[in-house]
Amino acid sequence: MFLNPQLSWGSLAQLCRSLGTMLQSGVPLIKAFQVSGGKSRDEKLRSASEGIIKDLRKGSDISSAMREQQNRFPQLMVDMVDVAEQTGSLPEVLLGLADHYDNLIRLRRAFLGAIAWPMFQLFAAILIIAGLMILMGWLDDMGRGMSLNIFFGLKGTGGALLWIGGWIALAVGGYIAYQLLSRSLGSLAAMHRFILRIPVAGQCARSFAAARFSWAFALTQQAGMNVLDSIEASLKATANGAFIAATPRMVAMVREGEDLADSFADSELFPKDIIEMVRVGESSGTVPETLQRLSPVLEDQARRSLHGLTMALGGLIWAFVAAIIIYFIFRLAMFYVGMINDAASGAL
């Protein structure tokens, strides 16, 4: 139900770089697709390449052939190839797209690498608490009526399994809910706007989205795409619902003659330093170059924000686990103090 028909970023980067390099060397287009698609391990890429070759032999252009491949190619890539065919800069555009997808892979790896440790901490915390539940069950069996109700009465092996199963259900439910929300731009935009308001997480998400926009805008402008289409394609490239939802307003402002920097400011999505740098770039006619230089700076900001976010998450997770363990120890100590007091009273 939720399978993504698109090719992976790695496959797209490989295809674009291989095609761009061979076309620059003078290899015929169909032969370039045969070689690039044929050497890939991605079955979807090989199938898509075969379909494109068939359409090219019928006289179709590349962008039209890509559109026939059941949405396997991102809209940004199709639009860029379309512009490149019209301007005669296909090899350069393909190599630029390869850099773009390699950049997205780096960003994703940075994100996954940063959240790996907090996720491990959360997994360890879940297992630790499950172990405490099993221990409480054993103490109940050994303590003849002893009752330590910490997790709504969950204890023993059954309680631990229910605890772990609840987390699995929460994770699966969250994934399904996100996929459902992603099908509606309004819902996705509302969710991403909420995330952008969260102090550390919002700064991280904003920096990643702005970095993607900057890279895509510079790429599309250098390829010769008109500025309105470039804005739309670059906002889509952010993969952030809040940025994508701002497209109609930003495009309308630029179409009516407003400065690009003013449309950035009106969206209330871009950091103020970026807006001012774009304003300076507009005055000198170097907006694409400015944004291209900004992209790695924004990536560094996003990584720093992500590091701070993961540190905070890790601290919260272990504070939660420590609180549970301390509470458990306190309850256990109070139980034994009660037993000692009862024994002392009986002796008297």
Side-chain angles (χ1 to χ4, degrees):
M1 178 179 179
F2 299 120
L3 291 177
N4 187 353
Q6 286 195 354
L7 295 165
S8 68
W9 290 338
S11 295
L12 291 171
Q14 176 191 358
L15 176 66
C16 290
R17 193 168 304 282
S18 179
L19 283 174
T21 302
M22 284 192 286
L23 291 176
Q24 268 190 340
S25 302
V27 178
L29 182 59
I30 292 178
K31 185 63 176 177
F33 266 104
Q34 287 175 332
V35 174
S36 299
K39 69 180 182 181
S40 174
R41 296 180 180 179
D42 189 336
E43 179 60 34
K44 288 193 292 186
L45 176 57
R46 290 199 300 269
S47 175
S49 298
E50 290 171 1
I52 290 173
I53 291 170
K54 291 179 182 178
D55 288 339
L56 291 177
R57 284 174 172 163
K58 295 176 183 177
S60 176
D61 54 41
I62 305 173
S63 57
S64 298
M66 285 181 170
R67 290 190 179 95
E68 296 296 322
Q69 294 305 309
Q70 301 175 349
N71 296 321
R72 286 181 174 173
F73 293 95
Q75 189 61 45
L76 173 65
M77 181 175 179
V78 176
D79 291 342
M80 289 287 292
V81 169
D82 189 12
V83 173
E85 288 183 294
Q86 297 175 33
T87 58
S89 57
L90 186 57
E92 294 78 10
V93 167
L94 286 171
L95 292 174
L97 281 169
D99 290 338
H100 171 65
Y101 291 119
D102 282 338
N103 182 57
L104 293 181
I105 292 171
R106 286 195 300 273
L107 290 176
R108 181 176 61 188
R109 285 175 179 170
F111 175 75
L112 294 177
I115 67 169
W117 178 241
M119 292 305 296
F120 172 78
Q121 290 176 313
L122 178 60
F123 179 72
I126 293 170
L127 292 182
I128 289 172
I129 294 172
L132 290 175
M133 290 179 179
I134 294 173
L135 179 59
M136 283 188 289
W138 290 344
L139 291 175
D140 270 359
D141 295 337
M142 298 170 60
R144 292 173 299 186
M146 171 183 173
S147 180
L148 293 173
N149 293 321
I150 297 179
F151 296 103
F152 308 103
L154 293 178
K155 61 180 63 180
T157 304
L161 292 175
L162 188 59
W163 164 257
I164 294 173
W167 277 98
I168 293 174
L170 181 64
V172 173
Y175 173 77
I176 293 175
Y178 180 81
Q179 292 294 331
L180 292 174
L181 288 172
S182 300
R183 294 172 179 265
S184 167
L185 178 58
S187 300
L188 187 65
M191 179 175 61
H192 284 164
R193 287 193 193 98
F194 173 76
I195 293 174
L196 290 174
R197 294 190 184 99
I198 302 174
V200 181
Q203 181 182 358
C204 179
R206 192 184 306 275
S207 296
F208 272 122
R212 286 183 174 187
F213 176 90
S214 300
W215 186 281
F217 188 84
L219 184 63
T220 52
Q221 284 290 281
Q222 290 168 358
M225 186 180 289
N226 73 73
V227 68
L228 298 180
D229 291 339
S230 184
I231 292 171
E232 182 176 358
S234 302
L235 287 170
K236 287 180 180 178
T238 64
N240 186 298
F243 280 75
I244 297 171
T247 301
R249 173 69 177 170
M250 291 182 64
V251 169
M253 288 185 66
V254 175
R255 182 183 288 115
E256 291 169 4
E258 298 286 345
D259 290 340
L260 184 62
D262 290 335
S263 72
F264 277 29
D266 181 77
S267 71
E268 299 181 348
L269 295 171
F270 293 87
K272 291 183 180 180
D273 53 347
I274 294 179
I275 296 172
E276 294 308 316
M277 293 180 73
V278 169
R279 200 180 300 280
V280 172
E282 282 188 291
S283 64
S284 59
T286 58
V287 173
E289 293 80 3
T290 298
L291 289 175
Q292 190 172 34
R293 290 193 299 270
L294 270 175
S295 181
V297 176
L298 292 169
E299 286 181 35
D300 288 338
Q301 290 180 0
R303 290 189 183 97
R304 287 194 295 270
S305 299
L306 193 57
H307 178 70
L309 177 62
T310 55
M311 292 292 289
L313 286 175
L316 287 174
I317 290 169
W318 282 113
F320 172 69
V321 176
I324 294 298
I325 294 174
I326 291 171
Y327 178 64
F328 176 79
I329 293 172
F330 176 77
R331 289 290 302 272
L332 189 60
M334 291 302 295
F335 172 79
Y336 281 113
V337 168
M339 288 181 63
I340 293 171
N341 289 335
D342 290 343
S345 299
L348 293 175

